[in-house]
Amino acid sequence: LRAARLCDAAIEAHKAHEIDLLRMKAKLMERSGEPVKAREVYERVLEQREYQWARAGIAKIRMANGEFEQARQAFQSVIAENRYYIDAYDQLALAYQNMGKLDEACAILERAAKLSPNSVLRQRSLGNVALKLGNVQMAEKAFRKCIAIGEYSIMKTPDAYLGLARVCGQKNDPKEALRLLLQA
């Protein structure tokens, strides 16, 4: 919250950087557990100009409030305007998951993974959703990619190893499953 207040002071001193500082302030407010104030900042930005990140920020707040359908519509709108806004894909997939629509979530994550394949979190999410749907081949591919790109990353967690071990269990390959569990 102190950093958010500093953003206000910086806005007064440097009007040229107002939009960037408002973006930072909104994210800080979200992280501080102040979604109402974050939404006010996003709306203030949208009054000046239509920024996709501000609309996506409001959609994230809606999703956190359980307004999954409204969030879904907003994320789809952002993607329709900019198909390279990758975070919107991830959030849209999460909205679909929250709505219980795993097939749609999987399709969105697959599209996002084609556009930006080197995200540990995205590959892990794709693997988990594919596994829930029973698509063992897609889950295996996603978990293997997750492990490969996360090997020397701070994003490396046991989750991908455990997911791939579940896949190996379903494929009746206990040796590899055991090896992956030991790595985890």
Side-chain angles (χ1 to χ4, degrees), residues 25-26 29-44 57-58 61-62 64-65:
K25 179 181 176 181
M29 296 306 249
E30 280 184 70
R31 289 186 189 144
S32 300
E34 298 283 346
V36 173
K37 291 181 181 176
R39 186 177 182 142
E40 290 171 3
V41 174
Y42 286 129
E43 288 172 350
R44 177 177 164 190
I58 290 174
I61 293 169
R62 283 188 153 166
N65 291 336

Side-chain angles (χ1 to χ4, degrees), residues 8-162:
D8 287 333
I11 289 169
E12 293 302 318
H14 308 284
K15 283 289 185 188
H17 302 291
E18 179 181 18
I19 296 298
D20 292 327
L21 290 164
L22 286 172
R23 184 178 190 171
M24 186 183 305
K25 179 181 176 181
K27 288 183 184 257
L28 290 166
M29 296 306 249
E30 280 184 70
R31 289 186 189 144
S32 300
E34 298 283 346
V36 173
K37 291 181 181 176
R39 186 177 182 142
E40 290 171 3
V41 174
Y42 286 129
E43 288 172 350
R44 177 177 164 190
V45 168
L46 289 172
E47 287 173 5
Q48 295 179 32
R49 185 168 169 212
E50 195 64 28
Y51 285 100
Q52 294 161 350
W53 57 263
R55 288 194 354 224
I58 290 174
K60 284 180 189 179
I61 293 169
R62 283 188 153 166
M63 194 160 50
N65 291 336
E67 301 171 30
F68 304 125
E69 179 58 28
Q70 293 86 347
R72 180 197 64 80
Q73 291 173 8
F75 289 126
Q76 281 184 326
S77 172
V78 169
I79 291 169
E81 288 183 24
N82 181 357
R83 68 184 193 104
Y84 296 108
Y85 197 101
I86 301 299
D87 185 50
Y89 287 90
D90 296 332
Q91 296 300 320
L92 176 59
L94 188 56
Y96 275 129
Q97 287 178 57
N98 287 328
M99 295 167 69
K101 298 180 177 184
L102 295 180
D103 287 324
E104 289 88 343
C106 189
I108 291 297
L109 286 169
E110 196 173 11
R111 274 179 57 196
K114 284 179 183 170
L115 288 171
S116 178
N118 294 328
S119 167
V120 173
L121 295 174
R122 185 171 305 110
Q123 292 291 344
R124 187 170 53 226
S125 294
L126 177 58
N128 286 326
V129 171
L131 196 57
K132 286 177 186 175
L133 289 171
N135 189 337
V136 177
Q137 184 179 359
M138 183 185 293
E140 180 178 12
K141 182 180 173 186
F143 285 131
R144 287 194 189 282
K145 179 77 174 177
C146 180
I147 289 169
I149 59 179
E151 183 64 28
Y152 302 103
S153 164
I154 62 168
M155 303 303 288
K156 181 179 179 179
T157 64
D159 296 344
Y161 293 91
L162 297 173

